[in-house]
Amino acid sequence: MSNPFLKQVFNKDKTFRPKRKFEPGTQRFELHKKAQASLNAGLDLRLAVQLPPGEDLNDWVAVHVVDFFNRVNLIYGTISDGCTEESCPVMSGGPKYEYRWQDEHRFRKPTALSAPRYMDLLMDWIEVQINNEDLFPTNVGTPFPKNFLQAVRKILSRLFRVFVHVYIHHFDRIAQMGSEAHVNTCYKHFYYFVREFGLIDTKELEPLKEMTARMCH
């Protein structure tokens, strides 16, 4: 039987953002292939996230940030029709956690928004950053800026909030589509990666702490 999750993902009516691609022949493309090969070979995710010998940490992190952005985008895209202004008037992870949006332009102060509005702003904000050659240089030999890992920490901690919202408010939809195994694998991959390189503060991970303890230990 065909997987309904994949049907949703490739449904032409669903508009997904264009994926950021790695140019064939570049170092980043080779690293991307190496990372994918580890996953496809069913390698333990804890091992799959480790920096391959002789590779540059920033390159390895850049490849994964783009990949996680693409994957989380797809996961949210599949449940987005059930995440509306009415159903999710606040961007939250259960009653204890509310996320407010802040950026350098329109929302200079943390602002309460609905989940779909927050997600839209978040995805646009990340897309601008990963397409910014000054922050994510694509040419081999072009150095990463000094603030690269700092910028990445912010991107990943905000992407984590998408997992929080999806797991806490929309997991029934994911289960209904039979795609929990896929989403859980994406989450575990993300979690092991950010822990391996210390890219998200422990307090940010609190909302999914119990679930993570069951799934990842």
Side-chain angles (χ1 to χ4, degrees):
M1 189 177 119
S2 63
N3 183 334
F5 176 73
L6 291 178
K7 267 199 185 140
Q8 285 282 122
V9 168
F10 296 111
N11 182 342
K12 292 288 176 282
D13 300 335
K14 286 265 176 205
T15 52
F16 290 111
R17 288 147 199 280
K19 288 174 93 166
R20 172 77 194 264
K21 293 274 199 300
F22 300 103
E23 290 302 315
T26 62
Q27 173 67 5
R28 209 73 50 77
F29 181 74
E30 294 308 315
L31 273 181
H32 180 64
K33 281 202 318 197
K34 197 178 276 192
Q36 290 306 310
S38 299
L39 292 177
N40 296 340
L43 189 65
D44 178 345
L45 289 169
R46 277 190 185 87
L47 298 174
V49 298
Q50 291 174 3
L51 181 66
E55 297 297 354
D56 177 71
L57 173 64
N58 286 344
D59 272 324
W60 187 240
V61 168
V63 162
H64 281 80
V65 170
V66 173
D67 193 39
F68 290 137
F69 171 66
N70 288 335
R71 286 163 188 257
V72 172
N73 228 322
L74 283 178
I75 290 170
Y76 182 70
T78 59
I79 60 94
S80 59
D81 54 352
C83 182
T84 63
E85 302 283 330
E86 291 72 37
S87 69
C88 304
V90 174
M91 173 58 184
S92 61
K96 273 174 72 178
Y97 300 96
E98 180 186 330
Y99 298 119
R100 299 187 166 209
W101 182 255
Q102 184 175 19
D103 58 33
E104 302 76 41
H105 307 295
R106 288 180 53 198
F107 299 94
R108 290 176 178 273
K109 288 187 177 148
T111 307
L113 297 171
S114 69
R117 180 89 178 97
Y118 185 103
M119 297 293 185
D120 253 1
L121 288 165
L122 173 60
M123 297 307 179
D124 286 346
W125 175 80
I126 296 177
E127 200 166 13
V128 165
Q129 294 195 78
I130 62 178
N131 286 306
N132 175 355
E133 286 286 334
D134 293 333
L135 189 57
F136 279 73
T138 48
N139 295 328
V140 179
T142 304
F144 282 85
K146 286 193 170 62
N147 68 333
F148 175 67
L149 288 177
Q150 187 187 338
V152 158
R153 284 191 177 93
K154 198 166 181 183
I155 291 172
L156 292 174
S157 65
R158 285 182 167 185
L159 265 184
F160 178 76
R161 296 170 180 184
V162 182
F163 279 118
V164 173
H165 184 73
V166 167
Y167 269 118
I168 292 175
H169 296 278
H170 300 288
F171 195 72
D172 51 345
R173 177 93 174 99
I174 283 168
Q176 190 189 351
M177 288 160 62
S179 42
E180 53 284 52
H182 174 86
V183 176
N184 288 347
T185 301
C186 285
Y187 175 70
K188 285 203 283 196
H189 187 200
F190 181 94
Y191 176 79
Y192 288 136
F193 188 81
V194 299
R195 296 299 283 172
E196 174 76 12
F197 301 106
L199 294 171
I200 294 187
D201 288 345
T202 310
K203 70 175 190 303
E204 278 280 341
L205 299 170
E206 279 287 314
L208 296 181
K209 192 176 167 186
E210 285 171 25
M211 184 196 82
T212 305
R214 288 196 304 275
M215 206 192 282
C216 300
H217 296 296

